[in-house]
Amino acid sequence: MKTTTDLHGSFFTAAPEKLAEALLARFLRYTRINTQSDPEKADAGIMPSTEGQRQLAGMLAGELRAMGIPAEVDANSYLLARIPPSPGKENAPVFGLCAHLDTSPDAPGGPVQPLVHENYGGQPLNLPGGVTLDPQTDCALQACTGGTIVTSDGNTLLGADDKAGIAGILTLAEFLVSAPDFAHGPVEILFSPDEETGHGMDKVPLDKITAKAFYTVDGGDLGEIEDECFHAWKCKAGFHGVAAHLGDAKGKMVNALQMAAAFVSMLPRQESPETTEGREGYYCPLEMSGSLEYAEVTVFLRDFTESGISRRIRCVEAVARAVQETFPGGTVSVESGRQYSNMKEKLDEHPEVLALAVQAAEACGVRVRSAPIRGGTDGSRLTELGIPTPNLFTGGHNFHSRTEWISLDQMVKMTETLITLTKLWSERHV
């Protein structure tokens, strides 16, 4: 089976079965490396926060160099490479592709044992780890009947977020260097550490990046191309109590843990991640720790508008004051900081970047859908830093969980879209 795409009179031919073979081999190899990030270390400025990310960066650099593509990994494990242009395309504009090395700390991260389910028959998948993927409750899985599905064994997440994006970018690179008749301009590649902790662009080597536009290959279902995300803030509430001997505590002790628990219970439960969808924002108490004398709660705030995020910050501060009034002798402090901003406003200043992605996907027979990201990507931060960066689909589903899975057929479409996007950029003028 072969497909041919016509772009302004230029033709290229790619065999989907060859792309599928290369993608699957790479993806399985990458998922077996535990690159789960460590939020505590990342918050302390340690990058990468885990050695598995450094190991994967080194492996990827070696694979790129073996293709003849120069690749550098810096001390913080950012990998930067550039695919050289074809002869005659040296003056084509540079664009970039980005994916992240780490996997989420929200579920067990390794060792990952990927399972390949060929010719998926549409039945529930009962994984050895006691997890079931049920197409009756997962419409996206049902839609992939007849294709190849990859899952973990149910004991860990899979790591499609974002090793699927990495596999797609490396397969694109291999295609470009092995297809001399496919004329293309220069393509920059950026692999970043600690995206899942919100620190993915903290130490990015901006001075070495020449592309004026990037695409994160970090999305989900087939056809999702995203140009909007949350405004994201993190609040840390500190609860200062008064310790005393438990047998003589009356009128003396103020329990910081009870203060923290009261604070969490007063946050609007109807505005939590598990009760919201679409363009609805939320409050999410993420971590709690402490003792009688001091406790701390970390809360993530998410909203699609600046006014909405401001309202949520005021709410957290009001709840903190209420807790302090409820526990005489105790005090509450709140520190709030921005993590990333909604990228839509800045992306709207560069509509051609998104338009090229849509054109590329549609040329590959993909029906494009646009929805706001209920989260963020490194593209959010890159866009803030002046490099417009929409997000492209990978074919991954149920990220950050033991039920994570990916469609190999959708990964092929992702890679075909990247190939076509490269062609479209090569036809632009600087």
Side-chain angles (χ1 to χ4, degrees), residues 81-406:
R82 180 184 285 191
I83 302 172
S86 302
K89 290 291 184 179
E90 293 84 359
N91 293 325
V94 184
F95 81 99
L97 297 170
C98 178
H100 59 88
L101 300 164
D102 63 323
T103 57
S104 169
D106 292 347
V112 174
Q113 299 295 332
L115 302 178
V116 180
H117 310 266
E118 296 181 344
N119 300 313
Y120 170 59
Q123 74 282 6
L125 294 174
N126 299 307
L127 305 183
V131 171
T132 297
L133 280 66
D134 190 347
Q136 294 301 312
T137 56
D138 190 338
C139 295
L141 181 60
Q142 190 175 50
C144 292
T145 299
T148 296
I149 303 297
V150 185
T151 70
S152 75
D153 64 359
N155 289 305
T156 66
L157 48 67
L158 174 62
D161 179 14
D162 187 23
K163 289 167 183 174
I166 293 173
I169 293 170
L170 263 290
T171 303
L172 165 74
E174 182 181 44
F175 173 84
L176 294 181
V177 300
S178 63
D181 294 335
F182 184 85
H184 63 87
V187 182
E188 280 189 339
I189 296 172
L190 174 64
F191 294 141
S192 58
D194 287 294
E195 189 264 4
E196 297 290 4
T197 67
H199 294 282
M201 290 293 110
D202 284 4
K203 300 179 181 180
V204 62
L206 271 181
D207 58 325
K208 295 183 178 180
I209 292 175
T210 62
K212 302 304 181 185
F214 258 79
Y215 299 87
T216 45
V217 190
D218 190 21
D221 195 19
L222 178 69
E224 290 182 353
I225 297 180
E226 299 148 326
D227 66 342
E228 184 173 12
C229 63
F230 279 133
H231 288 287
W233 282 66
K234 179 166 72 172
C235 296
K236 284 194 174 182
F239 303 88
H240 304 263
V242 179
H245 189 286
L246 300 185
D248 187 32
K250 186 173 181 179
K252 300 176 183 178
M253 188 174 78
V254 181
N255 191 327
L257 286 170
Q258 288 188 335
M259 294 172 70
F263 172 84
V264 171
S265 70
M266 293 170 67
L267 294 173
R269 291 188 64 188
Q270 72 278 13
E271 297 181 57
S272 61
E274 61 268 32
T275 63
T276 54
E277 61 184 355
R279 294 186 58 81
E280 298 170 330
Y282 59 75
Y283 305 81
C284 181
L286 202 69
E287 296 177 350
M288 179 188 293
S289 62
S291 61
L292 286 176
E293 194 168 64
Y294 180 77
E296 189 171 89
V297 175
T298 299
V299 182
F300 278 10
L301 307 181
R302 300 291 188 263
D303 207 285
F304 285 100
T305 66
E306 286 279 13
S307 60
I309 206 72
S310 296
R311 175 181 67 82
R312 295 182 189 282
I313 294 170
R314 292 195 300 271
C315 176
V316 168
E317 293 171 346
V319 169
R321 289 193 299 270
V323 169
Q324 182 167 294
E325 292 172 3
T326 304
F327 290 83
T331 59
V332 185
S333 59
V334 177
E335 296 181 2
S336 300
R338 183 187 295 273
Q339 294 176 295
Y340 55 84
S341 298
N342 190 337
M343 59 187 175
K344 184 168 178 55
E345 184 176 339
K346 290 188 179 293
L347 281 177
D348 283 347
E349 298 173 5
H350 304 276
E352 72 285 354
V353 178
L354 180 66
L356 286 172
V358 172
Q359 184 180 350
E362 290 179 342
C364 295
V366 175
R367 179 177 172 271
V368 173
R369 293 173 289 110
S370 179
I373 307 171
R374 288 185 58 79
T377 68
D378 278 338
S380 315
R381 296 286 303 280
L382 276 174
T383 301
E384 284 187 68
L385 293 169
I387 303 175
T389 309
N391 192 40
L392 308 181
F393 66 91
T394 64
H397 302 262
N398 299 345
F399 293 156
H400 297 201
S401 75
R402 298 173 191 240
T403 61
E404 186 181 11
W405 61 274
I406 194 162

